[in-house]
Amino acid sequence: MQVALGGEFTFLLGLVIFGFSSLACALTMTAKFLIFMRIFQGIGASLLAVTGLSLISSQYPDSKQRGYALSIWSGVSGVGFAAGPLVGGGLISLFNWRAVFYINIPICLLVGIISFYFVIEQQISRSKKSYSMLSQIAAILGLATFIYTTIQISNTGITQNSIWGYLTAAVILVLLLLSERKVAHSTNKTNLFPPKLLANNVVDNGLFASFVYNFGLYGMLFVFTLVFQQTLKNSALETGLLLLPLTLVGAFTSYSIAGKLLLKYTPQNVLYKGMFFSFIGSVILLYYTVNIHYVIAVLGFIFLSFGTGLSAPSMTALVLNNAPVNYQNVSSSLVNVARQTGGVVGTSLLGVIVAKAAIAPYTTIAMAVIAVIFLLCTLVSKNTDKIEKGKNQ
């Protein structure tokens, strides 16, 4: 969409969709309508995330300066991530759940005014090719089927229906691959996942890290929200305060530290260090139970979020810096797809693990899964860094 309509227009369109759907959510009288409008909220948020990255990329063609700009972007995102549980919990405690949607409206108006007057989009080429509708439908249905089946397992356990669900998701994935293979030879269609872009190992590393980032961070946040609220009986506001060390350290690291490191070192180098710190934090959180002092959780939060603070801008820079100019828009889209997929898979999969109770050993198992995937990404990123250094020598 941003290729056809332009990044600035698409960004403002996403802002309008997000703002109006937030208002509709706040005014809804039924749960079904709320869920329906949350879909539109997600569409608006996706447009904002993707086009925001593209606009930043076009403004900073120099890879070092782009990395620094992305660190600021990640830091500001971290501030929102930090403020969300705290402000949201406070609004719910002081007013009601509708307030968390009402607050989006003045924010959207302010961002819209700033964007309209101050964002100057660089000239980009308009593509006459369109994405395959079959590929888009297959990608959405395949992921939705996998997530739905995983969530159902938490309620029913592994049954014949869940096996059929996973088989259906696998068949849809094969259909997606066949569709993409056909599109590769088309003159009027373009791939959702361009082979030329994905043939770059550095780009693949960045996309894998994007998946791992949201899988680990959102999964851990989901688990500990259950621990603090359901097991320890804290309010929404108290839970937001307990999670504050996690969110503040991540925002500070992205804004103040990651940018300076990216000016001095390669994104691959910063990325594997960030993932390793997140692995250490996950291991520390393995040992946290409701009977152990909260300080242990704080220590784990600090290490994990320091790592994610380093990883967020570096993994994004890794993809955008190594994508060809004509793939900048699609590369930013793929970063967002990888992150959102990781977040959904992480929360649903870990939700199955802690479905019985948010206490040990379930939280321990969940954090062990997160630790393993952070370690795997550390090793992959370290190996990619080693290969790239060998090429440059």
Side-chain angles (χ1 to χ4, degrees):
M1 181 180 288
Q2 61 180 326
V3 176
L5 302 178
E8 184 181 0
F9 180 85
T10 307
F11 183 84
L12 292 173
L13 176 63
L15 201 62
V16 170
I17 294 174
F18 186 81
F20 275 102
S21 57
S22 294
L23 178 61
C25 286
L27 296 174
T28 185
M29 301 301 293
T30 65
K32 290 183 178 179
F33 187 72
L34 175 62
I35 294 172
F36 179 71
M37 293 314 301
R38 287 283 285 171
I39 295 174
F40 283 93
Q41 224 185 1
I43 293 172
S46 296
L47 292 177
L48 289 172
V50 172
T51 52
L53 275 178
S54 295
L55 290 171
I56 291 173
S57 179
S58 67
Q59 296 293 318
Y60 298 94
D62 178 74
S63 60
K64 294 288 186 182
Q65 292 297 324
R66 181 187 296 159
Y68 189 76
L70 288 172
S71 71
I72 297 175
W73 170 80
S74 298
V76 173
S77 301
V79 171
F81 187 71
L86 186 60
V87 175
L91 289 172
I92 293 173
S93 298
L94 292 173
F95 303 101
N96 55 47
W97 62 267
R98 297 180 189 273
V100 301
F101 295 107
Y102 278 125
I103 196 173
N104 290 335
I105 299 168
I107 295 175
C108 286
L109 288 173
L110 178 61
V111 173
I113 293 171
I114 293 173
S115 301
F116 185 79
Y117 284 103
F118 295 102
V119 174
I120 302 175
E121 183 183 4
Q122 300 295 315
Q123 185 66 34
I124 61 172
S125 60
R126 298 287 187 261
S127 174
K128 295 182 180 180
K129 292 186 175 182
S130 60
Y131 291 112
S132 166
M133 183 61 69
L134 178 59
S135 293
Q136 296 181 69
I137 294 174
I140 294 171
L141 289 180
L143 180 60
T145 303
F146 175 83
I147 298 303
Y148 177 78
T149 303
T150 303
I151 293 173
Q152 288 301 109
I153 289 177
S154 65
N155 298 321
T156 62
I158 298 177
T159 64
Q160 186 176 11
N161 288 336
S162 61
I163 294 174
W164 278 111
Y166 284 128
L167 287 175
T168 302
V171 170
I172 295 174
L173 175 60
V174 172
L175 183 63
L176 172 61
L177 295 175
L178 292 175
S179 175
E180 286 291 276
R181 185 177 180 179
K182 182 180 179 180
V183 169
H185 301 286
S186 173
T187 57
N188 61 347
K189 298 289 183 180
T190 186
N191 290 95
L192 279 178
F193 310 98
K196 290 182 180 179
L197 182 62
L198 298 181
N200 188 319
N201 290 333
V202 178
V203 172
D204 293 341
N205 183 192
L207 294 175
F208 176 59
S210 300
F211 176 90
V212 170
Y213 175 92
N214 271 35
F215 182 101
L217 183 59
Y218 284 29
M220 184 276 301
L221 186 65
F222 176 77
V223 170
F224 274 85
T225 298
L226 291 179
V227 170
F228 291 147
Q229 285 193 275
Q230 291 189 5
T231 306
L232 297 179
K233 307 301 181 183
N234 290 295
S235 66
L237 178 59
E238 290 169 336
T239 298
L241 289 171
L242 290 171
L243 292 170
L244 204 55
L246 169 77
T247 49
L248 286 181
V249 171
F252 175 80
T253 303
S254 287
Y255 189 83
S256 300
I257 300 175
K260 296 177 181 178
L261 291 176
L262 285 170
L263 289 174
K264 187 176 181 181
Y265 303 102
T266 64
Q268 298 101 306
N269 187 274
V270 179
L271 177 59
Y272 82 76
K273 289 181 173 64
M275 287 292 170
F276 183 68
F277 274 108
S278 294
F279 164 69
I280 294 174
S282 302
V283 172
I284 294 173
L285 291 172
L286 276 170
Y287 296 95
Y288 177 77
T289 67
V290 295
N291 298 318
I292 294 179
H293 201 281
Y294 170 65
V295 171
I296 298 297
V298 171
L299 185 62
F301 289 161
I302 290 174
F303 271 91
L304 189 145
S305 58
F306 180 78
T308 56
L310 293 179
S311 299
S314 56
M315 69 192 188
T316 308
L318 203 60
V319 176
L320 297 182
N321 289 353
N322 290 277
V325 176
N326 57 323
Y327 285 125
Q328 285 296 305
N329 288 325
V330 70
S331 63
S332 63
S333 299
L334 288 177
V335 169
N336 187 55
V337 168
R339 288 188 59 171
Q340 298 308 318
T341 303
V344 173
V345 173
T347 52
S348 60
L349 180 61
L350 298 175
V352 172
I353 295 174
V354 299
K356 295 183 178 180
I359 56 175
Y362 306 109
T363 54
T364 301
I365 296 172
M367 290 311 304
V369 172
I370 293 174
V372 168
I373 196 169
F374 273 133
L375 179 60
L376 177 61
C377 191
T378 300
L379 297 175
V380 170
S381 302
K382 175 65 175 176
N383 185 59
T384 303
D385 183 53
K386 184 178 179 180
I387 293 173
E388 290 303 305
K389 284 181 178 179
K391 290 180 180 179
N392 295 329
Q393 287 180 350

